[in-house]
Amino acid sequence: MNITGELLINGSSHMGKDGHFQAIEAATGKHLPGTFGGATVEDLAQATEAAWKAFPIYRETNLEKRAAFLEKIAELIAATGDELIARTMAETGLPKARLEGERMRTVNQLKMFAREVRSAHFIDRRDDPADLNRKPQPKPGLIFRNIGIGPVAVFGASNFPYAFSVAGGDTAAALAAGCPVIVKAHPAHPGTSEVIGRCVQQAVAACHMPAGTFALLQTTEPEIAQKLVADPHIRAVGFTGSRKGGLVFMDIAAKRKQPIPVYAEMSSINPVLLLPGALEERGSEIGTSFINSLCMGAGQFCTNPGLVLAINGKGYDAFLNSAREATKAAVPQTMLTPNIAKAYRDGVERLENNAKVTTIARGKPGSEFECQAALFEVSASDFIKDHRLEEEVFGSSSLIVKCNDKHDLIKVLEALEGQLTIAIHLTNSDNALANELMPLLEIMAGRLLINGFGTGVEVSPAMVHGGPFPSTSDGRTTSVGTAAIYRFLRPICYQDFSENILPSLLK
Amino acid sequence: MNITGELLINGSSHMGKDGHFQAIEAATGKHLPGTFGGATVEDLAQATEAAWKAFPIYRETNLEKRAAFLEKIAELIAATGDELIARTMAETGLPKARLEGERMRTVNQLKMFAREVRSAHFIDRRDDPADLNRKPQPKPGLIFRNIGIGPVAVFGASNFPYAFSVAGGDTAAALAAGCPVIVKAHPAHPGTSEVIGRCVQQAVAACHMPAGTFALLQTTEPEIAQKLVADPHIRAVGFTGSRKGGLVFMDIAAKRKQPIPVYAEMSSINPVLLLPGALEERGSEIGTSFINSLCMGAGQFCTNPGLVLAINGKGYDAFLNSAREATKAAVPQTMLTPNIAKAYRDGVERLENNAKVTTIARGKPGSEFECQAALFEVSASDFIKDHRLEEEVFGSSSLIVKCNDKHDLIKVLEALEGQLTIAIHLTNSDNALANELMPLLEIMAGRLLINGFGTGVEVSPAMVHGGPFPSTSDGRTTSVGTAAIYRFLRPICYQDFSENILPSLLK
């Protein structure tokens, strides 16, 4: 493993000259070895021009070869060994087992898209043959297919250094769709990004793909990131991060001479509904499993259960007590970056200082780089009055909204913004209420789940990881699962083409 | 046939009170019988609230019943008789045969979507069964489906009073997808709109669909149209019209608290490429067929051939001569509205007054309400220097760009914006050049066609009527063909749902 701090562009690498930065050890705030050079506007132009040049060749690659290319990336990532895990642990503060699992998930995701490519399903080819004898007009011969939308800018996410980063979901989906990818590495894990980026670059060479098919840019300058979104050669954007960051990109993309789609995953508090029967039957058990989910990975998941809507009644106190005890017992965990740890403390402080909010419990305290779990409670009426209570606090903090009855619950739901997930805890006696709520829940979220929590996003063809604004910028798509490939495709129709001028993939 | 001038909202009708207007006879500029009441903001709210209330019921309708509903609309429209055709002829100036054909197309389009609904293909259901024994984590059970995005605002287009209007492509696709529809009638054919709207409203009642499934609003106020796009109950917009109008809607939609997709078809000049071999082989013949296509329907098609890119060489003069003669022989045709006729004259005048542009021929002159065909020529270098030459002139006006060689041709192509269609005229000796151009053409347009013209859009599963900005606001979709249904769908995933709480369509 060789971390040089270089940019990876058009099949080669060089040091960026627009300043330099070092990785930060999440657990200590200290610098880690290695200096990363920041990409200049020239580097950016070189990467997007190479991608543009690669695009017509890459999008027409034989599907078997394209699938083998994805598998080659998977193979090289799988072989990165313990050294990479150690580096990523240092950069992100995430534990070994989690990172090993996430790496395997990333490898499997690439393999899943390889299967999707081989299936040719996503091309959605449709043939309407000509009928020259049709009256009053002869019928033309039409062939429909989906093709890659163009070079895609992917922004690595801090919270998934493998699965939503350099070779994560958006990169795999875009490459599968036939689109070159330019990744802007997240500065929270630049060394990890370079190692994975080199795997992709090596696979490009080994599989004889055009050199411009992939590039990795390192930078800490927001301006470079914004210029990437504005670049005319970029035709779509994949982003996971803050609402503020996502909105900036959406705005830039909409104001381009040619607007482009932005797939930004931004902000979701993933409501958990506790229906009366479930609370009565197993309130205490739900309290424990809720806090387990909340504290997993220091709560740094997009699908973290940041809001609980519970109807007061039998079992509510049991739920609250067990959640309180589990929170108190929660051990501190290193957060992804010192900035995230600070934002978490600030968010928790805002809730603690809100006169309408009761602090139910705090977890065990830790260092300034660690997440101390936090559990709050507020009444439904106070929640509805104060929109700030709906703001995501990224980390192991959750707010229980105590509802008097189902009418309260519905009012709270109607006041909420779009979500990635909504979980419903129920038992048989709650089915009527669940059925009553379902039409409302369906239009609020991309995934509804029963008796579980949104954390743990299965990578499979039926997954939807997306949802109405502001959980994502575009609720018509998913970022996880095979359907993610449709983000990076557009339809085109060929009319009256003879065999010898049809694109090679249609021959 | 009874034209009352009323709005059709939530299963009943009443006169709008925000001013009133009359239809204009396209051929004379005089008022036609009937007074139409303008929708107030209260009418608008009533329509969108009814649509919102209808949405959870309508989107879950049994597919057989939904298909029968679409067929009922088709049946009622097919039965509108000669009286409607006469009214539409007066309102639009379009000839009888064209309108009869367009009405049949609209009927067939509804039937096509009924078949698509029955197929259930668009639901894209995916099941990933649970595996409780999987290690290290049990696998959840997932069901994926597409559901309607929400109530859709459809803006009737002036140039297709049936096929892109009240019960046109967007309405049919949205209803098929499970979305209620609110149509803002185009004031160029308000009587036609009411008659068709009553067919839809009657079908809603006959098929026992929720009353809010359909509404028709009449207005001449841009503010009401804009409020419709801004209404929180509206979740997608379908529009065919001017670039200016489309950009306003895109901007409003992006600035909403919850941004929504806008499918605006705006501006396309549909380049026609004349390659050297084709020119040499049949330059004269191409000239004639080009002008025939240009003058069809007074050139008032989104796919009208407004730009010809021809490589100078053998056959160019023959092409130019035959196009000149055909233009001179072109008879004047009534345009859709007096405003469109005036905008056409202004556009033609701008070209005539451009020092770099040569007027090749004008058609026979007519009244102030008629389109007088116009054919112009400019050099490739002058075209590239003057971006105004790329502006669409809606009507039978076209500009021939004379290219010295293929390099000129490519430079012109690279300077162009996104298009609905690009036509390539070629013969066997041009195949190498066509293959060289194809990767560039593919990213410029939604439909490529050989040895024809873009006018005449086949309604079939393989059609793409869409294209990169500014031909449409969103090149990821089509407005014609069965794939149009995907405009109004979004994916959702149900995790660990038992049979008794699954939505009825999934049971």
Side-chain angles (χ1 to χ4, degrees), chain A residues 38 125 148 165 234 245 252 331 396 444:
Chain A
R125 179 175 174 153
S165 194
I234 293 296
I252 293 171
V331 295
S396 300
M444 288 181 62

Side-chain angles (χ1 to χ4, degrees), chain A residues 392-451:
Chain A
E392 183 180 6
V393 177
F394 191 67
S396 300
S397 169
S398 193
L399 177 61
I400 300 165
V401 181
K402 192 176 181 175
C403 303
N404 291 320
D405 50 28
K406 77 167 185 182
H407 304 291
D408 255 12
L409 179 72
I410 290 170
K411 269 189 230 161
V412 172
L413 285 170
E414 286 177 341
L416 289 176
E417 299 186 306
Q419 306 290 338
L420 291 171
T421 69
I422 296 178
I424 308 108
H425 288 255
L426 50 74
T427 189
N428 282 339
S429 62
D430 298 314
N431 283 349
L433 177 56
N435 280 318
E436 186 185 340
L437 296 174
M438 215 51 78
L440 175 59
L441 302 181
E442 277 179 322
I443 57 164
M444 288 181 62
R447 178 162 56 111
L448 304 178
L449 57 138
I450 303 300
N451 294 336

Side-chain angles (χ1 to χ4, degrees), chain A residues 59 126 128 134 145 257 263 439 442 445-448 450 458 460-462 469 476 482 490 493-495, chain B residues 59 126 128 134 145 257 263 439 442 445-448 450 458 460-462 476 482 490 493-495:
Chain A
R59 75 171 182 259
R126 303 163 181 222
D128 289 336
R134 194 185 64 173
R145 70 159 170 172
K257 192 180 168 209
Y263 303 106
E442 277 179 322
R447 178 162 56 111
L448 304 178
I450 303 300
E458 189 68 22
S460 89
F469 185 89
R476 290 169 295 173
T482 48
R490 52 173 274 264
C493 173
Y494 303 85
Q495 180 171 326
Chain B
R59 75 170 183 261
R126 302 162 182 222
D128 289 335
R134 194 185 64 174
R145 71 159 168 173
K257 191 178 170 212
Y263 302 105
E442 278 179 322
R447 178 163 56 113
L448 304 178
I450 302 300
E458 188 69 21
S460 88
R476 289 168 296 173
T482 49
R490 52 173 276 264
C493 173
Y494 303 85
Q495 181 171 324

